[in-house]
Amino acid sequence: MAATISPAIRKQMSGVSVAMKVAVIGSGISGAVCASTLARNGVSVTIFESGRGPGGRMSQRREISEDGKELMFDHGAPFFCVSNSDAMALVHEWESRGFVSEWKQVFGSFDFASNKFLGIQQEGDAKKYVGVPGMNAISKALCHESGVESMFGTGIAKLEWLEEEIPWLLKDSKGENLGRFDGVVASDKNIVSPRFTQVTGLPPPLDLSLVPELATKLQNIPVLPCFSLMLAFKEPLSSIPVKGLSFKNSEILSWAHSDSTKPGRSTDSERWILHSTPDYANSVIAKTGLQKLSNETLNKISEEMFKEFQCSGLVSSLPFFMKAHRWGSAFPAKSIAVEERCLWDRNRNLAICGDFCVSPNVEGAILSGLAAASKLLQTSSCL
């Protein structure tokens, strides 16, 4: 029986040196870090992002109030911390380039059972970093670096493997060809998940039979859903002594922070963001599914979350803007490649990366993106 020779090895045997072409699916922090790292090392990279802009869970939301005021919200990850030296080196570079800054504010924890603060964070705790002027600034900068082409508003509906010199063919939901690539990096855990079908009505983009070992690990990653509530007030919430707080003994709220106190943000209004508990989000999703929510449902969620915030006694004024957003499956509850930091199929030149591989936070996403880039660069050196 003849041995199967991968396209990368065939190129190596032919002695022809060519620039490797890689498609990166998703422009969250993991995909953006991977794309930037590949491009800096001479790889031709195309990012495909179904959303209107980059960022994933580190995206920034632009809203317009009834009186026409522009409001910007970091409605996903509020900040991030780093401890790994590789991640720290990147963050320091981003600081020097002006799109990351330390968020120097006081944080605490509030207990609904006693209606008291349990503690205020002390100096010396881990530094908290934010993108400037929004959390999406990091992905935005990386997606526009030299050697990276970014295709926003372009979802991938099909990844086809062809036994040819350039093996990967990508198609959109209309069946249109989006290009041929030597390798693929997927930073979306739903690429082989039934959740893709639940949301889009289409089969997952990647055929499970192509990568059975990877598919098994990706098939049922548990996730923690969350609703975020964007609030804008005319006056500061002066009764809250901190700018970020976790909640204890609340069935509805888990977190709140003052978005307008971050560096580089507009201070025209006092903007807060609340995060729900996973249990509350699951109770809503159990009734509504993962399809697009009606305005009526979103308004009800907004009212319930804000009412709980009021019950804390920390807020007495009413917001002039209030809107909820659902993160249906953004927060992984399990890490599937802690040691390897990404999933890799050498025979297919396919890497899968994201915070679901390492740890469910921004640092985990950064490390996974770096690991995926490293795998592809090892292959590129063989071309």
Side-chain angles (χ1 to χ4, degrees), residues 200-223:
T200 66
L202 300 170
L206 184 61
D207 185 346
L208 299 181
S209 64
L210 283 176
V211 286
E213 290 185 11
L214 302 193
T216 300
K217 294 181 179 180
L218 283 166
Q219 195 68 30
N220 292 299
I221 300 174
V223 294

Side-chain angles (χ1 to χ4, degrees), residues 54-74:
R57 205 167 68 242
M58 289 180 70
S59 58
Q60 187 179 55
R61 189 75 169 258
R62 178 179 179 268
E63 297 287 351
I64 303 295
S65 64
E66 288 185 358
D67 62 357
K69 184 188 295 289
E70 181 184 70
L71 303 168
M72 306 298 288
F73 295 94
D74 292 333

Side-chain angles (χ1 to χ4, degrees), residues 75 84 108 139 143 187 259 297 316 350 383:
H75 62 311
N84 175 276
S139 291
C143 287
S187 61
D259 217 38
T297 300
S316 56
L350 172 68
L383 299 186

